[in-house]
């Protein structure tokens, strides 16, 4: 009885605490970007945005980072940072407040314990290029100025984010493994240990620039000192004189030769609280003995600790109380202290349902739960609402509907047959067979040079030997050409958008023409289903426009039904209410219109019909009114999908640096990535889920496209984010300096940086000293969307003329290799960090904006908003150019409160709702977005969309 009463009292206390916390932090639920608090006099005090990135070693801070996902739900990361000199009472209070903040946000945040000098890379990525803790404690009042300049010596470690630590100003602090920055009143010295990496030296230069701008107001000299060279350079003599003269530095073991610890086995503990005086005050660790771990072991009413040596996870069930969670966190911290691991192990706290990919990867079984995707349904309801109010609303644009490749280029297609390539005739190059493999070359104009894009298209029914030969032949062609072409491996039904765009019109038939394919089906006794005009064939029509449409022949034998001794194959089970279909028989042709298909689909159906069979008069059939002859032609009526097919949206891309040695791939994620993270010595992978990009720096140790493809395949196998990546995901291989627009759109791209010479250290030094090399390759605008309306008709001619579209086709290239042959007679067919802008000359608008606001927003590829038709911004706007990107300058100005999607008194006429932000005044734009329009339109589109979504303008 007493126990039950105590539980009721505890329940009401918890409920009241959550209510108070929700009221205190309610404004944070939808507030994107960073919020920082500091513990001062046992109170939580907000830190001014002008002080973001300044941390005092005697204080404790709480940092909340919020990004808005495409599902319109916020994602929170909470970090509490503890200085080396922080009081224990402040440390405990910061831990408790972080947990309470999580509770106020719905217990969906991931919490990180950050210790000075041991910060996670995600935390440091918020404050690029670095944080340099200051001695003392934080004070919300006016600070005292110290006029005497203190000489400081810092060590810098890290290649993509840098850990900066102040060390004693003494010769004994120097070593050969690290990079050091010596800051004096008049000059900053960079000392590079002989065993330090080029990337670490380059990153340390960013620290030098940061110190120069923030401590010297940009007015001081910079000198670079190389370990072991001390003759003939006055800077070297000046450097060593500060240490009392030169003396040899003792030799130590290079980092690459130091023994790396083996990966430990993760150990799972159950955290059990003890009741003392009716208050949970102690936590007891009980190890769970098991051979394998799976999610079912974690009970929702308990807390657990997963010990992974360098990282400790505390998992808190959704049914546990705040008090129990505090006790569990305290127990985990005590555990680290007892084992003297506080300064080398990270602590991460997870509430059930917010598990990170790294945590899930330690479990052999972790079920994937598909989240309910409501945003498509919501957008549909919004469209219906606009129509009811009398608006002419366009269909919702597809995700990534902009063209990020010039579609006026020339196309060549080869088909693999045995170990040779046969050039496909021009008239048949837009017709592929699923039993064959093809090599596709697309040449398109860049700024001042031609760019090449190669695909190895592997049919779903193709034999292994043909697949291997297709990839091998593609590599042979690429290696024989001058320059570094982009290449990709693509498997049927997994084609990226760019593949369809370069074909514009594509028909994929069943069966194959390859000799190996014919031999294989004969040996296996499989019926030859290769397309023939005399056979029954069902095509699904898909696409987004007349310049991007496909007809895909569906499976002939999708479902089987047995009746007696006979077996019936029902092609009709491949129908889908979301699409339009073409059914072709020997004597007739039908068009089938699904009830959930759109007017755009109907237009594409008419156009594809002329390409599939322009001679027969079609019989139009709507879903639900099919005649018997239609079902008879399909072999009978069967069940098929009648629900709206919704394309799942994708979250922000992820960038990884990787090393590949003897088949062993090691990857590490780079958070809040920018173009500067594409260092020339590295190989990086950009994971966009639907496709991945393997980017190879000019100074990396990857010497062939084949090796880069192997790295991409290995990345798909390990699935580091536990996102169930398909092994058939398209893999692009991109060389530095030849990045295509559909890759650079994920960055704020500066072509001048992409085409610099030298290693990463030499490049950063050239920028720092203002001696940047002249670029030999013309700059290219990376994120300009190519419009078919802006492309001259003459350059878009194509061989297929039934719908009035023609494309120019190049002649056969002079490609070396005995197994390449022409045969025309063949009958085939991501919060932007609080970055202090290092090199302000490149982005003048970003400097003041970021320092004032603390964030520029984070992004993901957003689905386009509704397009209301009364007028377009272009009717009331001029065009300005920003780095070659056209932006609108509107004469129509409306207040923010009327432009919001959720406005009480919305603007009803005269705007394009896909560009609501364009109608804001410059002053209000700055207030809403924290940056100028110029800076905003420099951002990649996916970042623009995320910012617009966060302020209800999307």
């Amino acid at each position: 009885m007493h126990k039950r009463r105590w539980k009721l009292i505890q329940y009401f206390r918890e409920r009241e605490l959550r209510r108070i916390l929700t009221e205190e932090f309610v404004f944070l639920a939808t507030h994107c970007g960073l919020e920082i608090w500091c513990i001062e006099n046992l109170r939580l005090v907000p830190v001014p945005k002008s002080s973001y990135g300044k941390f005092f070693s005697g204080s404790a801070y709480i940092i909340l980072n919020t990004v808005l996902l495409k599902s319109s739900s916020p994602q929170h990361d909470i970090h509490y940072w503890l200085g080396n000199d922080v009081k224990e009472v402040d440390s405990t209070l910061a831990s408790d407040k972080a947990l309470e903040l999580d509770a106020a946000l719905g217990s969906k945040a991931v919490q990180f314990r950050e210790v000075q000098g041991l910060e996670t890379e995600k935390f440091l990525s918020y404050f690029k290029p670095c944080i340099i803790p200051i001695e003392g404690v934080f004070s919300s009042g006016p600070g005292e100025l110290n006029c005497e300049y203190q000489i400081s010596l810092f060590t810098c470690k890290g290649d993509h984010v840098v850990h900066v630590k102040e060390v004693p100003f003494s010769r004994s602090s120097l070593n050969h493994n690290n990079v050091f920055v010596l800051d004096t009143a008049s000059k900053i010295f960079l000392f590079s240990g002989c065993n330090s990496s080029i990337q670490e030296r380059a990153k340390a230069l960013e620290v030098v620039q940061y110190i120069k701008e923030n401590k010297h107001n940009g007015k001081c000299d910079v000198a670079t000192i190389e370990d072991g060279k001390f003759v003939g350079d006055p800077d070297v003599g000046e450097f060593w004189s500060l240490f009392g003269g030169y003396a040899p530095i003792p030799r130590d073991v290079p980092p690459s030769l130091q023994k790396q610890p083996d990966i430990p086995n993760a150990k799972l503990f159950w955290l059990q609280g003890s009741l003392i005086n009716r208050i949970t005050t102690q936590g007891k660790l009980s190890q769970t003995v098991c051979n394998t771990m799976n999610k079912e072991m974690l009970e929702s009413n308990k807390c657990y600790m997963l010990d992974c040596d360098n990282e400790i996870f505390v998992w808190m069930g959704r049914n546990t109380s705040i008090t129990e969670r505090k006790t569990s966190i305290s127990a985990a911290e005590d555990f680290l202290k007892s084992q003297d691991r506080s300064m080398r192990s990270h602590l991460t706290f997870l509430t059930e349902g917010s598990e990170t990919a790294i945590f899930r990867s330690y479990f052999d079984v972790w079920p994937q739960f598909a989240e309910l995707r409501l945003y498509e349904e919501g957008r549909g309801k919004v469209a219906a609402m606009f129509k009811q109010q009398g608006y002419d609303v366009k269909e919702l644009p597809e995700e990534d509907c902009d063209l990020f490749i010039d579609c006026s280029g020339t196309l060549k297609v080869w088909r693999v047959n045995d170990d040779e390539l046969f050039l496909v005739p021009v008239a048949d190059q837009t017709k592929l067979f699923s039993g064959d493999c093809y090599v596709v070359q697309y040449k398109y104009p860049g700024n001042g040079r031609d760019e090449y894009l190669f695909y190895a298209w592997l049919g779903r029914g193709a034999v292994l030997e043909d697949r291997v030969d297709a990839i091998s032949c593609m590599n042979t062609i690429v290696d024989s050409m001058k320059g570094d072409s982009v290449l990709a491996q693509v498997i049927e039904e997994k084609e990226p958008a760019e593949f369809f765009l370069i074909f514009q019109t594509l028909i994929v038939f069943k069966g194959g023409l390859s000799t190996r394919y014919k031999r294989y089906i004969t040996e296996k006794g499989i019926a030859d289903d290769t397309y023939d005009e005399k056979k029954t064939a069902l095509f699904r029509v898909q696409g987004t426009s007349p310049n991007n449409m496909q007809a895909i022949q569906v499976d002939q034998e999708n479902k089987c039904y047995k009746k007696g001794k006979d077996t019936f194959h029902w092609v009709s089970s491949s129908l889908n209410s979301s699409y339009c279909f073409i059914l072709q028989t020997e004597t007739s042709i039908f068009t089938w219109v699904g009830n959930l298909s759109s007017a755009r689909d109907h237009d594409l159906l008419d156009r594809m019909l002329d390409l599939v069979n322009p001679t027969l008069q079609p019989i139009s059939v709507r879903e639900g009114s099919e005649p018997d002859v239609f079902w008879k032609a399909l072999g009978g009526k069967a069940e098929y999908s009648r629900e709206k097919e919704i394309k799942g949206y994708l979250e922000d891309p992820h960038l990884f640096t990787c090393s590949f040695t003897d088949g062993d791939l090691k990857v590490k994620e780079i958070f809040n990535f920018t173009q500067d993270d594409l260092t020339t010595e590295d190989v990086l992978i950009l994971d966009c889920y639907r496709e991945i990009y393997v980017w190879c720096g000019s100074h990396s140790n990857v010497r062939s496209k084949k090796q880069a493809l192997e790295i991409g395949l290995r990345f798909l196998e390990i699935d580091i984010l536990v996102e169930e990546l398909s092994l058939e995901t398209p893999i692009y291989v991109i060389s530095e300096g030849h990045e295509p627009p559909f890759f650079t759109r994920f960055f704020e791209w500066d072509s001048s940086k992409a085409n610099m010479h030298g290693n990463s250290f030499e490049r950063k030094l050239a920028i720092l000293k203002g001696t940047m090399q002249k670029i030999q390759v013309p700059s290219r605008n990376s994120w300009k969307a190519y419009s078919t309306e802006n492309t001259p008709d003459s350059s878009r001619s194509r061989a297929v003329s039934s719908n009035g579209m023609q494309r120019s086709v190049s002649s056969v290239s002079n490609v070396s290799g005995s197994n390449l042959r022409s045969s025309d007679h063949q009958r085939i067919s991501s919060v932007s960090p609080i970055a202090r802008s290092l090199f302000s000359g490149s982005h003048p608008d970003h400097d003041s904006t970021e320092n004032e606001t603390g964030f520029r927003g984070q992004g993901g590829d957003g689905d386009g908003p509704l397009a209301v038709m009364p007028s377009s911004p272009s009717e009331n706007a001029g065009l300005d150019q920003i780095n070659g990107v056209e932006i609108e300058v509107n004469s129509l100005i409306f207040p923010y409160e009327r432009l919001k999607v959720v406005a009480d008194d919305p603007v009803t006429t005269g705007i394009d709702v896909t560009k609501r932000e364009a109608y804001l005044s410059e002053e209000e734009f700055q207030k809403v977005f924290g940056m100028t329009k110029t800076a905003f339109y420099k951002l990649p589109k996916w970042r623009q969309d995320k910012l617009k979504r966060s302020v209800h303008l999307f």
Side-chain angles (χ1 to χ4, degrees), residues 391-412:
Y391 287 91
D392 181 10
V393 184
K394 286 182 178 179
E395 290 180 29
L396 300 177
E398 294 285 338
E399 185 176 7
D400 294 334
C401 59
D402 291 332
L403 307 184
F404 290 99
I405 188 170
D406 189 326
C407 295
S408 66
T410 56
L411 185 70
K412 285 200 299 183

Side-chain angles (χ1 to χ4, degrees), residues 34-36 47-54 127 834 836 853-854:
L34 283 181
E35 291 290 334
I36 303 179
V47 175
K49 290 193 185 305
S50 59
S51 296
Y52 281 13
K54 296 179 181 178
F127 308 101
I834 309 300
R836 276 56 56 92
T853 65

Side-chain angles (χ1 to χ4, degrees), residues 300-577:
S300 297
N301 61 345
K302 295 180 181 179
C303 295
Y304 296 84
M305 186 185 79
L306 185 66
D307 182 5
C308 308
D309 190 37
N310 289 331
E311 187 155 20
I312 302 289
F313 295 93
V314 174
W315 184 92
M316 300 169 288
R318 65 167 64 96
N319 296 332
T320 56
S321 67
I322 295 178
T323 306
E324 289 173 320
R325 295 176 187 182
K326 287 182 179 180
T327 303
S328 299
I329 291 174
S330 177
E333 292 175 338
D334 291 342
F335 172 78
L336 287 181
K337 290 178 183 177
S338 66
Q339 297 200 351
D340 196 24
R341 291 166 53 187
S342 295
M343 295 306 297
R344 69 176 180 88
S345 297
H346 291 118
L347 260 176
T348 304
F349 311 107
L350 309 164
T351 308
E352 184 177 1
S354 65
E355 297 86 358
T356 62
I358 296 177
F359 177 81
R360 299 197 307 268
S361 68
Y362 286 103
F363 291 78
D364 297 305
V365 179
W366 193 282
Q368 296 287 334
F369 294 103
E371 296 181 13
L372 188 59
R373 306 302 194 187
L374 298 177
Y375 84 115
E376 284 284 357
E377 181 182 345
R379 291 171 73 219
K381 290 180 178 178
V382 173
M385 180 184 68
F386 270 95
K387 288 181 178 179
Q388 288 175 0
Q389 295 179 0
Y391 287 91
D392 181 10
V393 184
K394 286 182 178 179
E395 290 180 29
L396 300 177
E398 294 285 338
E399 185 176 7
D400 294 334
C401 59
D402 291 332
L403 307 184
F404 290 99
I405 188 170
D406 189 326
C407 295
S408 66
T410 56
L411 185 70
K412 285 200 299 183
V413 181
W414 291 274
R415 181 174 60 84
V416 175
N417 194 28
D418 289 331
D419 58 349
E420 296 182 324
L421 289 183
F422 289 83
L423 185 67
V424 176
V426 172
D428 294 327
Q429 66 180 8
T430 57
K431 301 173 183 177
L432 308 180
F433 286 81
S434 63
D436 294 334
C437 294
Y438 298 83
V439 174
V440 178
Q441 173 193 292
Y442 183 65
K443 181 175 75 172
Y444 61 98
N447 286 348
R449 67 183 181 195
D450 287 334
E451 301 287 356
Y452 287 88
L453 173 61
F454 284 88
Y455 286 99
W457 186 85
L458 314 179
R460 178 125 342 242
V463 298
L464 179 61
E465 293 89 341
D466 282 349
R467 293 188 175 205
V468 172
D469 282 347
I471 297 172
S472 175
C473 290
M474 176 179 64
N475 285 323
T476 299
I477 297 175
V478 171
D479 290 342
S480 67
M481 299 178 65
K482 294 181 179 179
D484 290 307
S485 305
V486 176
L487 61 81
Q489 173 183 309
V490 173
I491 296 178
E492 182 188 0
E493 298 177 0
K494 295 289 185 178
E495 296 91 348
E498 294 75 29
F499 182 83
F500 288 139
L501 286 170
I502 65 174
F503 276 92
Q504 297 189 2
T505 299
L506 182 65
I507 304 174
V508 179
F509 297 111
K510 287 295 175 185
L513 306 174
S514 161
T515 302
R516 288 171 176 157
Y517 173 79
K518 297 293 187 184
R519 186 185 307 128
Y520 172 80
I521 61 175
T522 300
E523 291 174 354
K524 296 295 183 179
I526 301 172
D528 190 352
D529 61 352
T530 302
Y531 172 77
D532 188 315
E533 293 180 356
K534 297 181 180 180
K535 295 180 180 179
T536 298
L538 182 64
F539 296 89
R540 183 183 69 250
V541 177
Q542 63 185 38
T544 60
S545 73
N547 297 315
N548 176 18
M549 57 182 185
Q550 303 87 41
I552 312 296
Q553 186 179 354
V554 300
D555 290 337
Q556 302 272 359
E557 302 178 359
N558 193 275
K559 284 188 178 180
C560 297
Y561 169 70
K562 283 194 173 184
K563 186 176 181 180
K565 296 181 179 179
D566 299 323
T567 302
F568 299 92
H569 300 288
W570 285 339
V571 183
S572 57
S573 59
S574 295
L575 294 174
N576 189 308
S577 297

Side-chain angles (χ1 to χ4, degrees), residues 18 189 391 471 628 638 797:
R18 290 178 186 272
F189 296 88
Y391 287 91
I471 297 172
D628 291 340
S797 63

Side-chain angles (χ1 to χ4, degrees), residues 2 74 97 107 175 275 301 321-322 553 656 669 719 722 731 791 823 889:
H2 290 291
K97 286 297 182 182
S107 296
N175 60 56
L275 287 176
N301 61 345
S321 67
I322 295 178
Q553 186 179 354
F656 298 87
E669 184 168 4
D719 192 13
V722 197
I731 303 172
T791 307
S823 179
V889 181

